[in-house]
Amino acid sequence: MRRREFITLLGGAAAASCASWPPAAHAQQGALPVIGLLHPGSPEANARYIAGFRKGLAETGLVEGRNVSIEYRWGHGEPTGLPELAAELVRRPVNVIVTPGGVVAAAAAKAATATIPIVFVIGVDPVQAGLVASLNRPGGNITGITSMNSGLAAKQLGMLRQLLQRDARLAVLVNSSNPQIRLALADVQAAAAAMGQTLEIVTATSPREIASAFKEALQRRTDAILIIADPLFTSRPVQLATLAARHAMPAIYALREFAEGGGLISYGSNFTDMFRQAGTYAARILKGEKPTDLPIVQAAKFELVINLQTAEAFGLEVPATLLALADEVIE
């Protein structure tokens, strides 16, 4: 074979190989496809979830460092920096952006690009949040996973009432700086009203303000508190469990990590599995599928974890009916 024919044949093979990747990959000939991961929290607080994301990639044959690269951008609790971090990923450029840290991260990515595919993980209705056109046909360049469940707040408040076994004043802790908090808060308020439950709202926008929020809840004579799932709170399970113990205020959380870390009770979606699903979606997009053809996945796994050691410290006897529902009981 002549040298010119060999070069032509080699070039054709390379072009065929690259054709299976989205357009952004062609800007990096010879390099691995790149996933940009944008999160408002820190790598330390999200290690378990990132392991779930890598598992999702592996289920489709992608392994970080072997046949795919991941560019991480962490907000470290400063959501105002997310737009610039998203812009960095767009300039990189990456083949797909994954935002497994709530609506603020997803919105930052969506504002940064209308062409690079985006996969989000959020806890509210993405249609109401303005991210997608519909659940079945997201439209545009964005799709993802959501744990929205209109009955979640009612179940969490009901569990708190069961634990206290008496009429009680309940509080809810929210991050008022989250632009989408009104959706989650409306759900909680509707659930409280339906059961005739008094509900106090306390707010925090930074780790320092969380301690003040607990003091305010105590001053309002509340007996227990519901911690809304928010990146600000999900990254600080130890602080929240410690404050609840210090103020003798039983609390219910959305993630099992809180109960494992000393919190009283948790009920909510399995976030590790949601991250795994995000990894699967990212891999499918890298292999040629389009976000608009991938319907929004609604989390189906919900788990109840009860920490009996903490219940004993609070002087609470957990009803047998609640124990029977638990996916895990920490003794």
Side-chain angles (χ1 to χ4, degrees), residues 61-109:
L62 296 182
V63 178
E64 183 179 9
R66 182 185 303 170
N67 53 7
V68 69
S69 176
I70 304 178
E71 285 278 338
Y72 298 93
R73 294 294 185 275
W74 299 97
H76 296 282
E78 296 294 338
T80 55
L82 291 174
E84 177 53 32
L85 294 176
E88 285 181 17
L89 292 175
V90 172
R91 291 193 296 265
R92 165 77 170 78
V94 297
N95 302 89
V96 58
I97 298 176
V98 179
T99 63
V103 174
V104 175

Side-chain angles (χ1 to χ4, degrees), residues 133-245:
S134 74
L135 298 180
N136 291 329
R137 298 284 295 179
N141 63 320
I142 187 166
T143 186
I145 325 297
T146 177
S147 64
M148 67 175 188
N149 185 321
S150 58
L152 182 61
K155 290 176 182 177
Q156 290 172 327
L157 291 176
M159 288 174 183
L160 270 183
R161 286 160 60 106
Q162 277 186 268
L163 279 168
L164 296 173
Q165 300 185 48
R166 59 182 173 84
D167 290 335
R169 293 177 64 86
L170 303 182
V172 56
L173 174 62
V174 301
N175 175 8
S176 56
S177 68
N178 185 335
Q180 299 299 326
I181 195 58
R182 60 181 180 79
L183 299 176
L185 188 55
D187 188 30
V188 177
Q189 290 174 315
M195 60 179 67
Q197 174 64 57
T198 300
L199 187 68
E200 299 287 340
I201 300 169
V202 292
T203 65
T205 61
S206 67
R208 183 175 299 176
E209 290 181 4
I210 293 175
S212 299
F214 267 84
K215 289 180 181 178
E216 183 179 351
L218 196 64
Q219 290 169 356
R220 296 190 190 184
R221 302 182 183 231
T222 55
D223 302 294
I225 189 167
L226 163 61
I227 311 296
I228 290 287
D230 184 277
L232 173 63
F233 306 140
T234 56
S235 63
R236 310 193 71 81
V238 175
Q239 180 189 12
L240 285 161
T242 301
L243 285 168

Side-chain angles (χ1 to χ4, degrees), residues 1 29 32 39 47 79 85 87 94 97 107 118 147 152 170 176 194 213 220 269 271 279 286 290 294 324 328:
M1 182 182 293
Q29 293 182 9
L32 299 178
H39 196 289
L85 294 176
V94 297
I97 298 176
I118 299 167
S147 64
L152 182 61
L170 303 182
S176 56
R220 296 190 190 184
S269 302
F271 265 49
L286 285 177
K290 298 183 183 197
L294 296 174
E328 183 178 348

Side-chain angles (χ1 to χ4, degrees), residues 14-33 93 95:
S17 175
C18 289
S20 63
W21 298 105
H26 294 266
Q28 310 172 64
Q29 293 182 9
L32 299 178
N95 302 89

Side-chain angles (χ1 to χ4, degrees), residues 22-70:
H26 294 266
Q28 310 172 64
Q29 293 182 9
L32 299 178
V34 182
I35 296 172
L37 193 143
L38 177 66
H39 196 289
S42 67
E44 297 81 12
N46 291 276
R48 174 184 294 190
Y49 305 138
I50 296 303
F53 176 71
R54 293 193 184 107
K55 181 180 179 182
L57 291 175
E59 288 174 357
T60 60
L62 296 182
V63 178
E64 183 179 9
R66 182 185 303 170
N67 53 7
V68 69
S69 176
I70 304 178

